[in-house]
Amino acid sequence: MAVVSMAKPSFLRAEQASASDISAATSPGSSSSRRRDIVFIVNPQGANGRTGREWKKLLPYLRSRLGSDCNICESLTSGPSHAIDITREAIREGADAVVAVGGDGTLHEVVNGFFWGGKPVTKHDSKAPRTTSLGLIPLGTGSDFARTFGWTNDPVDAIERIVKGSRSRIDVGVISKEGGDLHYFINVADIHLSAKAGFHASKYKRFGSLCYVIGALQAFFGHHNQDLKIKVNDGEWEVYPKVTALCIGNAQFFGGGMRITPNAHPSNGNFEVVILQDFKWYDFLMKLHKLYNGTHLSVNNVLSRSAFSIEVEEVEGTNNIYVQSDGEHLGFLPRNFSILPGVINMIC
């Protein structure tokens, strides 16, 4: 996301009505009380501005399919973390659904907006029977989360899913560290080389999907495999030598289509943890096709297991092991990862 001045969260109808209409539409006795409020959070700068342009083209079709039954509320993000604030306000005001319009970064922020102070955000009116659902229209540089469900990048298909309105409970991962804030992820969290590659890739998003290749090449310079201490499911600490990358999947894909955790699914109550050990640069070249089609679990030095929690620390304490989730840089180890089963209702 472009770094610009932050704006106060607000809702703007696609028809340019005021934000106060959301409260009016959901208040008791309102003539619009039977209409659903759906908030579309758009990152207009996503994919070098393509998200904003495609969104404008999409609006007439969106109105034609949903306008008779729903209050269509549009809110454009103005900078990092803005989508988090918008989502929290939408949930508190009683929105029926919040739809992320953009790539995995926008979806990541919207998911984090479903939580505050370690708990799910709730409506101001605690007696309201419905809960706010999560939706997705993939329009960004990367749409890896959508791949797990087999969804295409066709926004018309996404709108039809919203029209149909089928919902399913999905899991969300939560990341913590001592003395730090909680952070949530919906797709894949990863550590060391892959996280470092993602950090560099974020600087080259103007090149589209090529940014992942550039990021990976840059990450290899100066890279050293590291011994890591890992505790799974509150068990005993174990040392894993020469770890190249560790991936914690709530879903299957990351890095622009790499099926890194092929057995993960965001509704099974567990992560898939995949550990790559002692990989050299030429190993990636020779095995890249396996990483993309998800057949790498049979490769030597690749471990996989199911887990509901995992703690990861460095052995030597170099404080330079990168951590990211859903492609967003979070800092460095140590970190704890745990799963919140079925915590969000998603339109699917």
Side-chain angles (χ1 to χ4, degrees):
M1 293 185 181
V3 180
V4 295
S5 59
M6 296 294 291
K8 181 181 179 181
S10 63
F11 299 114
L12 295 175
R13 286 277 182 83
E15 294 83 1
Q16 301 303 312
S18 68
S20 61
D21 289 337
I22 288 186
S23 297
T26 56
S27 62
S30 168
S31 60
S32 301
S33 60
R34 290 184 298 275
R35 292 171 62 86
R36 294 185 297 153
D37 294 308
I38 302 183
V39 179
F40 294 85
I41 300 180
V42 186
N43 173 17
Q45 303 303 319
N48 297 315
R50 182 176 62 84
T51 300
R53 294 191 296 271
E54 293 296 321
W55 170 248
K56 290 179 182 178
K57 297 176 184 177
L58 195 61
L59 267 174
Y61 182 75
L62 184 70
R63 293 189 186 112
S64 70
R65 295 296 287 130
L66 290 167
S68 61
D69 301 314
C70 304
N71 297 316
I72 298 171
C73 311
E74 173 194 32
S75 195
L76 307 182
T77 62
S78 62
S81 301
H82 193 192
I84 297 175
D85 296 331
I86 297 169
T87 301
R88 287 173 180 159
E89 183 179 342
I91 295 171
R92 288 165 179 156
E93 292 293 335
D96 183 82
V98 175
V99 179
V101 181
D104 292 314
T106 302
L107 177 62
H108 177 78
E109 287 202 2
V110 169
V111 168
N112 274 268
F114 272 75
F115 303 91
W116 173 259
K119 297 179 181 179
V121 177
T122 58
K123 296 176 175 58
H124 288 312
D125 181 5
S126 59
K127 297 180 181 179
R130 65 188 181 191
T131 59
T132 301
S133 299
L134 169 67
L136 173 64
I137 298 180
L139 279 180
T141 301
S143 298
D144 282 315
F145 180 75
R147 299 175 196 267
T148 294
F149 292 91
W151 297 342
T152 69
N153 276 341
D154 187 345
V156 172
D157 289 346
I159 291 173
E160 291 307 310
R161 285 195 297 272
I162 296 168
V163 171
K164 184 180 177 182
S166 296
R167 287 163 167 78
S168 179
R169 307 297 301 189
I170 64 167
D171 311 330
V172 170
V174 57
I175 305 172
S176 61
K177 68 174 181 177
E178 187 175 354
D181 294 331
L182 298 180
H183 199 92
Y184 300 87
F185 69 100
I186 194 172
N187 192 42
V188 177
D190 54 306
I191 294 167
H192 207 16
L193 179 64
S194 55
K196 187 177 180 181
F199 173 77
H200 291 302
S202 65
K203 297 181 287 187
Y204 300 103
K205 287 193 173 182
R206 62 186 179 278
F207 296 114
S209 296
L210 187 61
C211 71
Y212 300 112
V213 177
I214 299 172
L217 291 173
Q218 195 167 349
F220 270 113
F221 288 104
H223 170 77
H224 299 285
N225 297 325
Q226 297 276 4
D227 297 349
L228 297 180
K229 290 170 53 182
I230 298 172
K231 180 192 290 188
V232 176
N233 295 345
D234 301 322
E236 298 295 324
W237 285 101
E238 299 180 59
V239 175
Y240 287 72
K242 298 182 179 180
V243 173
T244 307
L246 188 154
C247 301
I248 301 162
N250 188 49
Q252 296 177 10
F253 296 86
F254 81 154
M258 189 179 293
R259 196 178 182 190
I260 190 65
T261 46
N263 298 314
H265 197 278
S267 62
N268 65 9
N270 282 289
F271 298 127
E272 182 180 22
V273 179
V274 171
I275 304 174
L276 279 60
Q277 292 176 277
D278 200 22
F279 267 54
K280 310 297 191 298
W281 66 269
Y282 50 81
D283 289 315
F284 281 98
L285 290 179
M286 295 175 63
K287 298 162 185 174
L288 191 62
H289 65 289
K290 290 182 176 289
L291 290 166
Y292 271 93
N293 63 28
T295 59
H296 56 289
L297 300 187
S298 61
V299 171
N300 289 337
N301 297 340
V302 176
L303 305 176
S304 173
R305 65 175 300 173
S306 178
F308 58 79
S309 71
I310 178 170
E311 299 178 46
V312 186
E313 296 181 0
E314 299 173 67
V315 172
E316 297 182 355
T318 58
N319 298 318
N320 64 357
I321 306 297
Y322 283 70
V323 178
Q324 72 169 6
S325 65
D326 298 346
E328 302 297 314
H329 177 63
L330 297 185
F332 306 92
L333 289 180
R335 287 292 192 281
N336 302 337
F337 305 80
S338 57
I339 200 160
L340 302 175
V343 71
I344 287 181
N345 213 19
M346 185 159 194
I347 301 172
C348 58

